Amino acid sequence: RQGHSRGDAFPDNVVQDDDCVDETLGLQHAANRRQHLFRRMIHAISSRENPLLIFMDDIQWADQQSLDLLSSMLLDFDHIEDLNGDDPQCFMVIGTYRDDQATPSHLLYPHLLQFFAAARNLLVTPISVGPILEESANRLISQALHLPVRVTR
């Protein structure tokens, strides 16, 4: 059906018939529904027995819609009917970004502030990684290729 997204690949408890997005809806409303659908999908496919790990590299290059979706995934689970305190979210997001590019004028910056401010509901562990030294890179390459360090220089 043109103009609708049914999501037949998802279990029935994730997408219901009224979860279709019509072309006539406003862009913000459509984005909200897309975020809601994504959160419901995460809830449906993750569990204590099968936790979900999402790895997102270089999020400083993400567009506004992707950053809004990321924020929604991490911060906006309160209003899904099936969720309660007995049913914790069983997923983890690992995001990498170049902190020298995430300046206050960058699209990512306000989202980072939100993540760090949500510390009571969201575990955020910043890890700074500096540049790799040439000798360390050489050691990694020699180990990966099973060659002596002197050969891979």
Side-chain angles (χ1 to χ4, degrees):
R1 297 181 314 193
Q2 191 174 18
H4 295 279
S5 172
R6 171 65 172 94
D8 290 326
F10 301 117
D12 288 338
N13 65 338
V14 176
V15 179
Q16 298 160 356
D17 287 337
D18 63 345
D19 283 335
C20 296
V21 176
D22 192 311
E23 288 178 23
T24 60
L25 298 175
L27 293 176
Q28 186 59 47
H29 183 71
N32 291 343
R33 292 183 64 80
R34 191 170 34 255
Q35 291 170 7
H36 180 77
L37 175 62
F38 201 80
R39 290 188 310 270
R40 288 185 63 95
M41 179 192 68
I42 288 171
H43 180 67
I45 65 175
S46 64
S47 67
R48 289 180 189 198
E49 297 80 27
N50 297 302
L52 175 66
L53 172 65
I54 300 171
F55 180 80
M56 302 174 74
D57 193 23
D58 289 325
I59 57 175
Q60 78 275 3
W61 293 330
D63 63 2
Q64 187 64 52
Q65 287 181 336
S66 300
L67 292 170
D68 290 344
L69 180 60
L70 176 61
S71 289
S72 175
M73 282 177 7
L74 296 174
L75 301 172
D76 201 14
F77 271 88
D78 305 9
H79 63 281
I80 297 178
E81 314 79 46
D82 303 335
L83 302 181
N84 58 45
D86 299 331
D87 192 11
Q89 296 309 296
C90 298
F91 77 99
M92 173 190 279
V93 175
I94 297 176
T96 67
Y97 66 94
R98 298 175 187 216
D99 56 359
D100 62 330
Q101 293 182 11
T103 61
S105 62
H106 195 280
L107 287 176
L108 176 59
Y109 192 78
H111 295 275
L112 292 174
L113 292 177
Q114 278 185 316
F115 301 152
F116 289 112
R120 63 177 166 60
N121 297 324
L122 184 67
L123 177 61
V124 177
T125 306
I127 301 172
S128 294
V129 179
I132 189 167
L133 300 173
E134 185 177 341
E135 66 185 60
S136 298
N138 188 36
R139 219 175 17 250
L140 284 170
I141 292 168
S142 70
Q143 288 175 356
L145 298 176
H146 303 288
L147 294 170
V149 174
R150 63 179 163 68
V151 175
T152 59
R153 267 186 211 157

